[in-house]
Amino acid sequence: MLEGSPLTGSVSQGTLYDHYVGTGGASAIKDLNLLDEYGNNIINATNQIDENLHYYSFVIEDSEIQTGDGNDEFKIKNFRGYYASGLVNSSLNSGNGSDKIIIELLEDRFVYGAFGLENSEINTGSEDDEVEIKITSSNNDAFTSYAVKSSSIKLGEGNDNLNITQSNSSGNLDIAISGEVSYSVLYDFGAGDDIGSFSSDGYGIKSDGNDKHRVVLGDGNDSFTISSVYSAFYKSNLFADEGDDEIDLRASNQFHYGIEDSDIYLGDGDDYLTLDSSKNSNINGGEGTDIIKILDSSENYNIEDLQSNNFEITSAVDGFFKLNLSDVEQISFDDKNISLIEETEISLIIRGNSFYSSLEGPSWEEAEEKAVNLGGHLVTINDSEENDWLVSQYYGTGKLSENLDNKNVWIGYTDKNIEGNWEWVSGETVDFINWAADEPNSNHPQGLDDYAGMGLIDYQSWRKLGDWVDAHNDPSS
């Protein structure tokens, strides 16, 4: 074992040592250049609790530590200081092997600030590594704490795990995983099936918009989560890259957002992104089948088709909510799934929070099945305004009606369950009907006219354009 208080100097005698211990108050390891590429190494660095309250309390400062192919373990702990940090102006390179790095700042007394990494780099190399950063504080006034500031964490190849917990119950707005008073922070997960789990009693990842923080998930099927009180992902960029990734971004404060003024690039693969809210943000789906889950009911949102697979989502109850989507295949709400882009290139028309599309049945049952596969039902018509709007969209020169032999289109109204008891297949209440004269009449020879259609025709004296008729499931029979 090699010990120091602080541990300092240039050490490259890996055959002699496999355990390094630094202790101190101001620094536990300082100005250390350590190279040990032999065996499984343990590096412990602790700024201890004593009678002194140091102004600068940096556990590892101005040091370069390089280990090799073994399974190495780093434990870095700090408890007190006016300005306390775990790793400052330093680099940890753990090489190959399944390595574990733990940085913990547990408040005995912090005054002005507490930071896990500051102007530093962690690089874990290949194989399956674990990095854990945990900061626990209680200060509010004139106190700032970031888990990672002006630094980078690079996990390399392997199935890696990065856990960051930022605890401070005071409601302090200067608490963050990475904050805005910082140069750009990089979280690079590298290749492999990685897990990133970030939890914060303040902000999640928040930059000033100039030096944007970046999260790069890399190749592999990754899971990345930020759960915070204030905005989870603010003025930052996320690159999912290749693989089937799951991303979850949530802020518990009702006036903050899961993503705010940020850009997310999902890359190749079938990705699933969950968020509770968004403000002025963009998601690019890239290749693959991508699903955006919004934790709310669809009735609270308006979706505008901007053409070329671009959509804008706004909220009817939150004037700041805005989310732009490109090359995303599906939006999932709590009450329904809405398909945006299908391989058949179905043309969508959007009105409020509803999507409308024309489908070939030919039967009512087949048309309803296709609508369900798209995340909806055959249309429910709630009032005369919607009925007239549908006619305006599908009747006229260059529109659907020109290509129909049978000038009726199916709607989601049926009495197939109980004869004479007409209901919407969506389960919605019946607030509006628009039957043509003498309809419904069940004039099929077998009395099987259990399905409603809308007429896109204006030259029959017995009914007007947009009137409804009842018909057999297969209109050709």
Side-chain angles (χ1 to χ4, degrees):
M1 180 188 297
L2 183 62
E3 298 180 85
S5 182
L7 186 62
T8 186
S10 296
V11 181
S12 181
Q13 300 174 15
T15 57
L16 297 179
Y17 305 106
D18 59 9
H19 194 176
Y20 302 86
V21 178
T23 57
S27 295
I29 293 176
K30 183 173 182 179
D31 296 324
L32 175 68
N33 188 349
L34 171 62
L35 176 62
D36 186 338
E37 296 183 330
Y38 298 91
N40 304 322
N41 295 290
I42 298 174
I43 293 91
N44 290 337
T46 304
N47 275 3
Q48 298 176 323
I49 299 175
D50 56 26
E51 68 277 7
N52 297 311
L53 182 65
H54 298 277
Y55 192 85
Y56 294 113
S57 179
F58 303 153
V59 183
I60 298 179
E61 180 181 5
D62 298 328
S63 297
E64 294 183 10
I65 300 174
Q66 170 76 59
T67 57
D69 294 344
N71 301 326
D72 305 309
E73 185 174 303
F74 299 76
K75 293 183 178 180
I76 302 165
K77 294 186 177 183
N78 201 350
F79 302 96
R80 62 191 346 238
Y82 282 91
Y83 191 90
S85 293
L87 194 66
V88 177
N89 300 327
S90 299
S91 64
L92 298 184
N93 294 284
S94 63
N96 298 330
S98 297
D99 307 310
K100 186 172 184 177
I101 299 173
I102 299 175
I103 300 174
E104 185 174 13
L105 277 70
L106 177 61
E107 181 183 53
D108 173 69
R109 187 180 177 193
F110 297 147
V111 180
Y112 298 131
F115 302 87
L117 273 73
E118 190 171 2
N119 301 318
S120 296
E121 176 178 295
I122 291 176
N123 191 328
T124 63
S126 62
E127 297 193 32
D128 303 341
D129 306 306
E130 182 177 345
V131 177
E132 181 177 352
I133 302 172
K134 183 177 182 180
I135 302 178
T136 303
S137 62
S138 61
N139 288 5
N140 190 348
D141 295 337
F143 179 79
T144 301
S145 179
Y146 304 156
V148 183
K149 177 182 179 181
S150 303
S151 300
S152 64
I153 298 176
K154 301 176 181 178
L155 300 180
E157 294 184 10
N159 302 326
D160 305 307
N161 200 324
L162 174 59
N163 294 301
I164 300 178
T165 304
Q166 178 64 279
S167 300
N168 183 305
S169 59
S170 71
N172 189 338
L173 291 170
D174 292 321
I175 303 296
I177 299 296
S178 290
E180 60 186 341
V181 185
S182 168
Y183 294 116
S184 177
V185 170
L186 172 64
Y187 299 91
D188 187 347
F189 285 81
D193 300 336
D194 306 308
I195 298 174
S197 180
F198 297 179
S199 175
S200 174
D201 285 339
Y203 282 91
I205 296 177
K206 178 185 181 184
S207 81
D208 64 1
N210 294 317
D211 289 322
K212 290 190 175 183
H213 304 319
R214 292 173 294 150
V215 175
V216 181
L217 298 184
D219 297 349
N221 303 325
D222 305 306
S223 173
F224 181 69
T225 300
I226 301 179
S227 176
S228 60
V229 173
Y230 308 122
S231 292
F233 203 69
Y234 182 91
K235 293 185 178 179
S236 300
N237 293 334
L238 189 154
F239 304 88
D241 290 346
E242 294 186 13
D244 301 337
D245 305 309
E246 294 186 7
I247 301 166
D248 194 318
L249 306 172
R250 308 189 196 189
S252 62
N253 186 291
Q254 64 175 321
F255 301 116
H256 285 255
Y257 297 84
I259 52 176
E260 183 171 354
D261 296 325
S262 294
D263 297 303
I264 296 177
Y265 305 90
L266 296 179
D268 295 348
D270 300 335
D271 304 306
Y272 193 99
L273 190 156
T274 300
L275 55 92
D276 53 5
S277 53
S278 169
K279 179 180 177 182
N280 298 330
S281 294
N282 305 291
I283 299 175
N284 186 309
E287 299 295 326
T289 301
D290 304 306
I291 299 173
I292 307 303
K293 168 68 175 179
I294 297 177
L295 298 169
D296 201 354
S297 173
S298 62
E299 66 184 6
N300 295 326
Y301 296 88
N302 298 311
I303 304 172
E304 181 180 357
D305 187 353
L306 303 179
Q307 305 301 320
S308 301
N309 298 337
N310 293 300
F311 299 86
E312 181 179 276
I313 304 176
T314 55
S315 171
V317 296
D318 179 358
F320 288 113
F321 186 106
K322 184 178 179 182
L323 178 62
N324 293 308
L325 304 178
S326 61
D327 294 324
V328 169
E329 282 65 41
Q330 181 177 297
I331 305 173
S332 177
F333 293 99
D334 291 344
D335 58 334
K336 72 164 82 171
N337 299 324
I338 299 174
S339 179
L340 299 182
I341 303 170
E342 293 295 317
E343 294 180 359
T344 52
E345 296 185 354
I346 293 171
S347 176
L348 294 172
I349 300 173
I350 301 174
R351 178 176 181 261
N353 64 348
S354 298
F355 283 70
Y356 300 81
S357 178
S358 59
L359 301 166
E360 290 197 19
S363 70
W364 188 97
E365 296 284 358
E366 290 172 301
E368 168 63 10
E369 181 180 1
K370 291 179 179 180
V372 169
N373 289 337
L374 290 177
H377 291 282
L378 286 175
V379 66
T380 295
I381 303 175
N382 295 292
D383 50 44
S384 60
E385 180 181 333
E386 185 175 12
N387 199 85
D388 293 344
W389 179 84
L390 285 167
V391 171
S392 71
Q393 295 299 313
Y394 292 109
Y395 173 80
T397 303
K399 297 182 180 179
L400 176 67
S401 61
E402 283 195 333
N403 301 317
L404 296 177
D405 294 329
N406 182 334
K407 299 298 183 180
N408 295 317
V409 292
W410 292 122
I411 63 176
Y413 205 39
T414 177
D415 70 343
K416 65 175 183 172
N417 294 323
I418 301 175
E419 180 65 25
N421 182 27
W422 288 86
E423 57 189 357
W424 293 113
V425 70
S426 65
E428 297 178 54
T429 58
V430 179
D431 296 322
F432 170 75
I433 56 175
N434 195 48
W435 293 114
D438 298 326
E439 294 283 348
N441 54 32
S442 296
N443 62 5
H444 188 275
Q446 299 177 4
L448 299 177
D449 287 348
D450 295 333
Y451 307 94
M454 173 192 285
L456 297 181
I457 187 170
D458 65 355
Y459 52 80
Q460 291 181 323
S461 59
W462 60 276
R463 63 170 170 172
K464 302 186 297 294
L465 180 64
D467 280 355
W468 305 353
V469 298
D470 63 351
H472 185 263
N473 180 50
D474 183 353
S476 64
S477 64

